[in-house]
Amino acid sequence: MIDKNLFLHDLSIAAILKDEGHYLKEWLDYHLAAGVDHFYLYDNDSTDDTREVVKPYLEAGQVNYFSVPGELAQMPAYNDAVRRFRFATRYLAFLDCDEFLFPKTEQGIAEVVDEVLSANPNAAGLAVNWQVFGSNGQETADYSKGVLERFTRRAPSDWFEPPARATLPVGNIHIKTVANPRFIRYIVNPHYAYYFDGKFAVNTAGGRVTHWGNEPVLADKLVVNHYLTKSKEEFQNKMGRGRTGVDAKIFDTADMSVFDKNDRNDELDEGILNYRSLRADSVKPPAFDAEGYYKALEGNLSRAVHANTPPEFFEDKLETFLTCRALASMLRRLFPNDKRGSEFEEAALQAINRAHVTRLTLAEVMLTLDALPPILALPYPAVEEIRKNCIDFLKQLMTDLRRNSRWEAFVEMNRYLELLMAFGAARHPFK
């Protein structure tokens, strides 16, 4: 498993917001206590006090805050978080602000994710089932109390209703994702990520999950408490302000059918309140330890720079070396007078090259290609070798894709190849 010390953040959440000012502080504070140490928040045209609520967390270094105006902004926001921060955070969760990740033990969220994903080296994401909470019979909003205190009754753990015709099923079959963002290819659904070939999501029992739902519903180790309805007044307000994602047409109905179907109050469940109390002292103030990062780079790269280091050392380490490169690049930019950033960045590039001659998985090849744009702009000699390696990878990959008639992927890879060839010609016009 990759060294935790190479990341700015251990576990982050990407979320899109729209007028969530009443609920946001509770949601942020809860997840900080549960082991989340950073948030990538995308504000979709909020008109309330969301920005003021976020301000102290922004000043404390716990939040990156972006404005994403316009309709259907959720998928662009999620994919932006993956693209920009895949090497900054070890795990990345994708949640709405009415969803709370709830471990069923005193553990932090990342500890549970570690336990599940470590059992399968190809598991890159954890699919976590919903637990849908109802209104507790509340008609009107009461902002003097938090969501977790006000809504303590939910549907049975395994509740879901199969779809009728073209609609989605209702209930706890839906999942949300906590993933290793380095192996996410893209996101086209708020519930589920698509991974590079050979990588996949699993549920908390280790079984593969291939889409937005997991059946049978699992509620053993980690769940997402989903406060979908809240009170009737709050639900009506939510419908009135519009939705940010691909499920907008499902929820923005003219009647209260969605509320009625999801207003389940069958069972009392105050587990998350007990968990929050137990974890109250677990919030760690953010700290940027530059010397700690330099030490982590040295620990991961010291053997890589020696010519007599055997090839076996570089096997299964491409993710590590690409992460080292990203961290060293950040340190180089932050501390331009400290030569260690440039030295470690060049060492990481050399290690990437040596890893390229080991047996690579397709996921590792795709990760390299996705990481190329900032690498190609660097002045180090190793960059040209990386470019040539990637051209060789693409040619081999395209041969396999052609043989298997995977034409969509073939065209995608051919575009990569054309760009790499053109970049080389532009950089070395007389060769």
Side-chain angles (χ1 to χ4, degrees):
M1 189 172 287
I2 193 166
D3 184 357
K4 297 180 181 181
N5 297 306
L6 292 172
F7 297 97
L8 300 182
H9 315 297
D10 194 49
L11 170 63
S12 303
I13 292 177
I16 189 162
L17 319 173
K18 191 177 183 72
D19 293 337
E20 297 284 357
H22 288 304
Y23 315 107
L24 187 54
K25 185 179 188 306
E26 178 188 24
W27 184 83
L28 290 167
D29 288 344
Y30 167 82
H31 282 105
L32 287 169
V36 174
D37 54 1
H38 202 75
F39 303 86
Y40 303 111
L41 302 183
Y42 294 80
D43 190 333
N44 182 219
D45 296 328
S46 291
T47 58
D48 64 356
D49 63 345
T50 291
R51 183 177 290 273
E52 288 303 308
V53 175
V54 170
K55 187 177 180 179
Y57 301 90
L58 186 64
E59 293 173 347
Q62 295 164 318
V63 165
N64 284 65
Y65 190 70
F66 310 98
S67 176
V68 283
E71 297 181 351
L72 300 176
Q74 189 172 31
M75 295 309 98
Y78 282 179
N79 283 289
D80 180 77
V82 171
R83 180 181 60 82
R84 295 172 66 174
F85 305 114
R86 68 182 344 140
F87 292 109
T89 184
R90 191 166 71 96
Y91 289 129
L92 183 60
F94 303 89
L95 291 181
D96 295 332
C97 289
D98 59 1
E99 297 171 327
F100 292 69
L101 278 163
F102 170 36
K104 292 301 186 72
T105 67
E106 296 181 26
Q107 294 173 293
I109 297 164
E111 294 174 86
V112 181
V113 179
D114 280 340
E115 286 182 4
V116 178
L117 298 192
S118 63
N120 190 325
N122 293 317
L126 181 61
V128 187
N129 278 105
W130 272 356
Q131 292 289 284
V132 173
F133 281 70
S135 69
N136 275 48
Q138 298 178 42
E139 295 281 330
T140 59
D142 177 8
Y143 300 124
S144 67
K145 298 178 182 178
V147 170
L148 303 186
E149 297 171 83
R150 293 168 58 206
F151 307 108
T152 56
R153 304 196 70 88
R154 59 166 172 78
S157 290
D158 60 354
W159 167 66
F160 85 94
E161 297 179 13
R165 296 182 181 176
T167 62
L168 289 172
V170 175
N172 295 331
I173 188 174
H174 292 279
I175 58 99
K176 282 302 180 77
T177 294
V178 185
N180 173 348
R182 287 161 299 292
F183 290 108
I184 292 177
R185 187 174 186 180
Y186 47 73
I187 298 177
V188 298
N189 183 291
H191 301 271
Y192 184 74
Y194 286 85
Y195 303 90
F196 295 139
D197 287 16
K199 297 292 185 178
F200 47 78
V202 296
N203 59 32
T204 54
R208 287 189 65 167
V209 178
T210 60
H211 63 304
W212 45 261
N214 175 66
E215 186 186 2
V217 173
L218 295 177
D220 52 345
K221 298 177 182 177
L222 180 66
V223 296
V224 173
N225 280 14
H226 188 198
Y227 300 90
L228 192 157
T229 64
K230 301 187 179 76
S231 69
K232 186 172 290 187
E233 178 186 359
E234 288 161 281
F235 186 82
Q236 290 172 326
N237 290 340
K238 178 167 67 174
M239 287 196 299
R241 69 175 183 258
R243 304 280 290 182
T244 60
V246 297
D247 56 358
K249 292 181 180 179
I250 298 171
F251 287 101
D252 292 342
T253 55
D255 56 41
M256 293 295 287
S257 61
V258 175
F259 178 90
D260 294 337
K261 191 168 287 187
N262 288 277
D263 185 20
R264 298 296 299 266
N265 301 281
D266 307 68
E267 299 181 9
L268 178 67
D269 183 351
E270 297 180 323
I272 197 168
L273 293 172
N274 297 329
Y275 175 78
R276 184 174 65 176
S277 297
L278 289 169
R279 297 281 304 183
D281 297 326
S282 300
V283 179
K284 298 178 181 178
F288 185 89
D289 180 10
E291 288 303 317
Y293 293 133
Y294 286 124
K295 185 177 180 180
L297 287 168
E298 182 178 11
N300 283 276
L301 294 172
S302 58
R303 289 190 64 192
V305 297
H306 295 299
N308 61 350
T309 300
E312 297 79 35
F313 172 79
F314 297 89
E315 293 179 356
D316 302 319
K317 287 191 172 70
L318 187 55
E319 178 189 3
T320 291
F321 297 142
L322 286 165
T323 304
C324 286
R325 203 291 309 171
L327 176 60
S329 180
M330 181 203 67
L331 292 170
R332 171 178 56 80
R333 295 192 303 271
L334 287 175
F335 307 106
N337 295 325
D338 191 326
K339 294 182 179 179
R340 289 178 295 175
S342 295
E343 292 169 352
F344 281 126
E345 185 169 35
E346 185 165 20
L349 292 167
Q350 292 169 354
I352 291 167
N353 268 324
R354 295 186 70 179
H356 280 170
V357 299
T358 65
R359 186 185 297 274
L360 297 180
T361 66
L362 182 54
E364 288 175 316
V365 171
M366 293 304 300
L367 176 59
T368 303
L369 293 172
D370 257 32
L372 271 181
I375 291 176
L376 290 174
L378 296 172
Y380 309 104
V383 170
E384 178 60 16
E385 192 64 32
I386 290 174
R387 187 185 72 87
K388 291 177 180 178
N389 289 341
C390 288
I391 289 173
D392 290 340
F393 296 153
L394 283 166
K395 289 178 177 178
Q396 295 172 28
L397 179 56
M398 289 172 66
T399 297
D400 292 337
L401 293 171
R402 185 195 299 269
R403 287 171 178 165
N404 292 284
S405 298
R406 294 184 57 187
W407 299 116
E408 182 179 355
F410 178 89
V411 171
E412 182 183 9
M413 294 304 102
N414 191 52
R415 288 172 180 161
Y416 272 120
L417 181 60
E418 289 175 348
L419 286 170
L420 284 173
M421 298 291 284
F423 186 89
R427 194 165 184 171
H428 308 286
F430 301 111
K431 285 190 178 182

